[in-house]
Amino acid sequence: MKLLVLGGTGFVGRAVVDEALARGTYVTVFNRGHRGTSDGVTTLIGDRTAPDGLAALHTGTWDLVVDTWSGAPTAVRNVGTVLAGRTGHYTYISSRSVYTYPPAAHLAEDGQLVDGSPDAEGTFDVDYAAAKRGAEIAAEQAFDEKALLARAGLILGPHEDIGRLPYWLLRIARGGTVAAPGPRDLALQYIDARDLAAFVLDAGAAGLTGPYNLVSPPGHTTMGELLDKCVRVTGSDADLRWIDPDTIAATGVAPWTDLPCWLPPGPAHDGMHRGDVSKASAAGLRCRPVGDTVVDTWAWLRTLGGPPYQRPDRPKPGLSAEAEAALLAA
Ligand SMILES: NC(=O)c1ccc[n+]([C@@H]2O[C@H](COP(=O)([O-])OP(=O)(O)OC[C@H]3O[C@@H](n4cnc5c(N)ncnc54)[C@H](OP(=O)(O)O)[C@@H]3O)[C@@H](O)[C@H]2O)c1
């Protein structure tokens, strides 16, 4: 089996690479070479935004291609033009953001989609949802409607470069009174990047195509369980102070960005944390327990000499010390 990962050295792409290596797959990655690659991987260098930046992809055949691109859809369109005749199966790592916002609770893959164009130069800064949808269309056109569209929800796990679970782990490790957004039993849906990787590799080998919502089943964990696991694994003396959603709203603290993973009960929470994943579950999606994700992410953080790498094109999530103090005072 020969796998090409377009990207492959960040968070999700790295998880795909590592899972494929563990399966004995021959792995090639294509990127600009800015970050290290796992041992045993062949690297092709190129820039998807540069003229002639795909030259390194002009030869070779691949059983599977996994594309983690999250910028302009034209980059997916262009790579599809180059690879389509030499690719057995193509997966685009998409997002549940392609559904019109806010998605209803229990929304399945036939939910209404935002508009997007395969020819758009739109990026995350312009309109993330439209860029992801445009890239899905580009992928389907290039691969003759046979692309797998892996619509991930919130992704957590080792090597996370957004900083959501790292925020909670590092904050709780510091100890003291921690502002914890309630209610404690608020259900969370997320997917460990390694479970996402396993699914797309299995699905690619089985030739699955079309859209799949990829997060854990509704109720896989709760805000309380997630933060309790963080306390336990860090060995912290942190005291979780549960704050109700109305109090949080009154202080102007922003859900999701200031309080990573958290959305107050209501439409936004329904859309993010109550999605339908029965199609993926029936196709073999397996989600490890939240404790494994927390333990392994903490173990990874502890191997670093300093703060984890933070993607420069995404806002750093979490509360400042001052904002947390104000929230606790409220
Ligand atoms: N985080 C979440 O909660 C979440 C939720 C839903 C969906 N998603 C989706 O999941 C995916 C996450 O992917 P990831 O960033 O973790 O993937 P990744 O493949 O691990 O990292 C990004 C890769 O892109 C390469 N790259 C960046 N700019 C490039 C360019 N101009 N030309 C060629 N290569 C380039 C980077 O290497 P170089 O810098 O060396 O080029 C790096 O290898 C995204 O598509 C995102 O939309 C994320």
Side-chain angles (χ1 to χ4, degrees), residues 5-15 30-35 46-50 67-70 92-97 128 132 150-156 160-162 164 196 256 309 311 314:
V5 180
L6 300 170
T9 55
F11 174 33
V12 174
R14 178 193 296 262
F30 172 84
N31 54 57
R32 295 168 301 178
H34 290 181
R35 302 180 67 186
D47 184 342
R48 297 176 74 168
T49 63
D67 189 353
T68 63
W69 187 251
S70 59
Y92 178 61
I93 303 295
S94 189
S95 165
R96 291 187 69 244
S97 302
Y128 178 72
K132 295 302 282 186
R151 290 181 181 157
L154 169 65
I155 307 173
L156 303 177
E160 190 203 320
D161 55 7
I162 307 288
R164 295 177 178 127
L196 175 59
W256 191 251
Y309 173 81
R311 270 184 83 133
R314 302 286 193 273

Side-chain angles (χ1 to χ4, degrees), residues 83-176:
L83 291 176
R86 294 178 284 118
T87 296
H89 185 276
Y90 170 94
T91 294
Y92 178 61
I93 303 295
S94 189
S95 165
R96 291 187 69 244
S97 302
V98 297
Y99 300 115
T100 51
Y101 187 84
H106 316 301
L107 195 81
E109 287 79 356
D110 58 357
Q112 192 180 349
L113 301 169
V114 300
D115 290 332
S117 165
D119 303 317
E121 291 294 344
T123 65
F124 177 75
D125 297 330
V126 179
D127 185 339
Y128 178 72
K132 295 302 282 186
R133 180 60 194 143
E136 285 191 347
I137 296 169
E140 293 207 297
Q141 289 178 352
F143 295 94
D144 203 17
E145 308 296 322
K146 290 189 182 123
L148 176 73
L149 306 177
R151 290 181 181 157
L154 169 65
I155 307 173
L156 303 177
H159 302 282
E160 190 203 320
D161 55 7
I162 307 288
R164 295 177 178 127
L165 184 51
Y167 166 78
W168 287 115
L169 281 162
L170 294 169
R171 171 63 195 92
I172 285 170
R174 285 204 309 277

Side-chain angles (χ1 to χ4, degrees), residues 34-51:
H34 290 181
R35 302 180 67 186
T37 307
S38 307
D39 290 342
V41 170
T42 301
T43 299
L44 300 176
I45 298 295
D47 184 342
R48 297 176 74 168
T49 63

